[in-house]
Amino acid sequence: LKQCKAIPSAGHPVVYGEWLEAGEDKPTVLIYAHYDVQPVDPIELWETPPFEPDVRDGKLYARGVVDDKAGVWVNLKALESILAATGTLPVNVKIFFEGEEETGSPSMGPFISQYKELLAADLLVISDGGSYPDRPLVMSSVRGGVVGEVTITGAKKDLHSGLFGGVAHNPAHLAAKIIAAFHDDEGRIQIPGFYDDVRRLSPAAFEEMNAQEPMLRAELEADSGIERFWGIPEYTFMERATAQPTLDVNGMYSGYQGEGVKTIIPAKAGFKVTMRLVADQDPEDIARKFAAFVRGFATETLTLDVRVGPTFWPAQLLADGPVIEAIHHAFEETWGKRATMYRVGGSVPVIGMFQQELGVPVTNLGLAVGYDYHAPNEYTILDYFYRNIETAIHVYHYLADAIETS
């Protein structure tokens, strides 16, 4: 790639490179991956040093080898292979490798806005995530999000419950009252207007999503040990897990946490929340509604503080059409089967950032196959590492005729 360089951002630099010699009549593909990784802790559980790659039984073990060095390295090897074989590429290519994905890409929104002309493309390929050994996967949507924290303060110090019980308002009680008010008994979020802009799925998308329910439900049961799931009964399990918004308390704190009893009224209480958003919900709008709802519990006897942020947009990726057919064709050639399109219940903040700033169609080409993402002894299966180089080679050839150029 030419003009490959590290471009500073407010955080870690972006690695950018381009090869634009396919011609003006050929589309331009912007390839995204991230080079940062999760912490290695607990280090004592690693069988070999996490940053010294080790091959054992056809697997390559190292931190980040699946998430997301595969997205970086497999793409580079595929492009290198095409150039070595033909001297040219079938499409114009720009690469964008960032170093903050695991912390929510906090510097990437301003960076993409600043460099939107440099990053202009006909298609964005998000090369994060991957497939199972027996089933290629392509994600079709990700949820957005809002992060919030509420702090409630009473007295200047913890108080004796025998002296102040009944006369001092307990911050823990108000925190519990607010948390209990977030949902009704079946899980519907009670913040006014929270669901106003939720986009309902098309019949085709609904059918495709629910066809995957047995697979996802079995995986979540095995991962969690939960035997009976919970949620709004008028929605299917898959809707609740991927296509409806959520509000979850991630942590709550107040008072004495040690063994035995300490008879106090705590001076402070608080909790942290995350909200997952779906198509057409504006995260800034939801943040305002959340803050207004919580402030509605304000009282003269306690100090209530609400902090909201960061926020990030939900994103709809391509789910059908020529680009997706090109990807299916590539998997048929190299895996012998079409990919399964799937909705992601979690968030990839940078996708929404790209969509909001560039207005470019987005597809997913996850090139990792392995296990223990974010955990000790992360590994990729080498047979699939090489197979996915072939897959990427096929994809970029097929995209040359599948993308409508701007």
Side-chain angles (χ1 to χ4, degrees), residues 104-148:
S105 303
S107 303
M108 291 302 101
F111 183 95
I112 295 166
S113 179
Q114 180 180 353
Y115 289 99
K116 61 169 42 177
E117 292 185 9
L118 178 69
L119 302 174
D122 299 297
L123 178 72
L124 170 62
V125 173
I126 297 292
S127 201
D128 195 4
S131 300
Y132 294 117
D134 60 344
R135 187 169 70 250
L137 301 173
V138 174
M139 61 181 172
S140 59
S141 72
V142 294
R143 290 197 281 199
V146 177
V147 176

Side-chain angles (χ1 to χ4, degrees), residues 35-47:
Y35 63 81
D36 61 317
V37 299
Q38 282 283 315
V40 299
D41 303 307
I43 185 68
E44 67 273 9
L45 297 184
W46 284 83
E47 295 182 18

Side-chain angles (χ1 to χ4, degrees), residues 320-337:
D320 52 29
V323 167
I324 296 301
E325 286 304 312
I327 294 174
H328 283 317
H329 190 188
F331 277 115
E332 286 175 327
E333 291 289 329
T334 57
W335 286 59
K337 61 182 69 175

Side-chain angles (χ1 to χ4, degrees), residues 25-65:
D25 61 329
K26 295 295 184 181
T28 298
V29 177
L30 175 63
I31 302 171
Y32 166 91
H34 66 90
Y35 63 81
D36 61 317
V37 299
Q38 282 283 315
V40 299
D41 303 307
I43 185 68
E44 67 273 9
L45 297 184
W46 284 83
E47 295 182 18
T48 54
F51 294 112
E52 297 178 16
D54 187 64
V55 176
R56 305 194 300 273
D57 300 322
K59 305 178 182 73
L60 177 63
Y61 290 82
R63 169 53 84 230
V65 71

Side-chain angles (χ1 to χ4, degrees), residues 72-370:
V72 171
W73 195 240
V74 173
N75 273 301
L76 291 179
K77 297 306 291 183
L79 297 175
E80 179 186 71
S81 299
I82 298 171
L83 285 168
T86 67
T88 187
L89 295 177
V91 294
N92 298 300
V93 169
K94 299 178 180 180
I95 63 167
F96 183 110
F97 297 154
E98 69 143 317
E100 300 180 357
E101 192 277 340
E102 298 291 5
T103 54
S105 303
S107 303
M108 291 302 101
F111 183 95
I112 295 166
S113 179
Q114 180 180 353
Y115 289 99
K116 61 169 42 177
E117 292 185 9
L118 178 69
L119 302 174
D122 299 297
L123 178 72
L124 170 62
V125 173
I126 297 292
S127 201
D128 195 4
S131 300
Y132 294 117
D134 60 344
R135 187 169 70 250
L137 301 173
V138 174
M139 61 181 172
S140 59
S141 72
V142 294
R143 290 197 281 199
V146 177
V147 176
E149 182 171 1
V150 176
T151 304
I152 302 164
T153 306
K156 64 182 180 180
K157 61 180 182 179
D158 291 349
L159 303 175
H160 190 301
S161 65
L163 296 176
F164 289 92
V167 296
H169 197 167
N170 191 320
H173 296 179
L174 182 58
K177 182 178 180 180
I178 297 171
I179 292 171
F182 282 142
H183 303 85
D184 69 11
D185 289 342
E186 292 182 318
R188 298 175 190 85
I189 297 166
Q190 300 298 290
I191 296 174
F194 194 90
Y195 294 101
D196 284 355
D197 298 319
V198 172
R199 183 194 304 177
R200 293 291 294 178
L201 296 178
S202 69
F206 187 86
E207 182 179 353
E208 181 177 56
M209 175 189 68
N210 284 322
Q212 300 170 29
E213 178 166 327
M215 173 185 68
L216 180 62
R217 191 177 187 118
E219 290 169 358
L220 296 184
E221 285 177 351
D223 187 51
S224 66
I226 294 175
E227 296 181 0
R228 294 182 62 85
F229 287 100
W230 172 87
I232 305 174
E234 60 259 38
Y235 299 128
T236 68
F237 177 88
M238 286 295 291
E239 273 189 292
R240 299 198 305 269
T242 67
Q244 284 293 314
T246 68
L247 187 159
D248 284 294
V249 175
N250 311 125
M252 48 199 298
Y253 56 90
S254 186
Y256 179 63
Q257 305 294 323
E259 294 184 8
V261 176
K262 187 176 184 181
T263 54
I264 61 165
I265 295 173
K268 182 179 289 189
F271 56 90
K272 300 174 186 286
V273 304
T274 51
M275 290 157 271
R276 302 288 183 173
L277 311 183
V278 297
D280 292 346
Q281 286 188 294
D282 181 335
E284 294 298 330
D285 175 62
I286 294 299
R288 287 190 293 270
K289 290 173 177 174
F290 166 79
F293 180 80
V294 172
R295 290 185 181 119
F297 289 85
T299 170
E300 294 181 354
T301 52
L302 295 169
T303 300
L304 179 65
D305 179 58
V306 186
R307 295 184 297 281
V308 181
T311 64
F312 35 95
W313 286 85
Q316 296 297 118
L317 289 76
L318 295 173
D320 52 29
V323 167
I324 296 301
E325 286 304 312
I327 294 174
H328 283 317
H329 190 188
F331 277 115
E332 286 175 327
E333 291 289 329
T334 57
W335 286 59
K337 61 182 69 175
R338 291 166 67 88
T340 297
M341 307 299 298
Y342 73 106
R343 303 178 64 88
V344 177
S347 305
V348 184
V350 76
I351 301 179
M353 297 174 193
F354 275 116
Q355 284 193 327
Q356 293 299 311
E357 292 294 339
L358 302 183
V360 62
V362 184
T363 191
N364 169 235
L365 182 63
L367 295 170
V369 179

Side-chain angles (χ1 to χ4, degrees), residues 11-26:
H12 295 299
V14 168
V15 178
Y16 174 83
E18 62 184 35
W19 190 95
L20 305 177
E21 299 178 18
E24 294 183 0
D25 61 329
K26 295 295 184 181

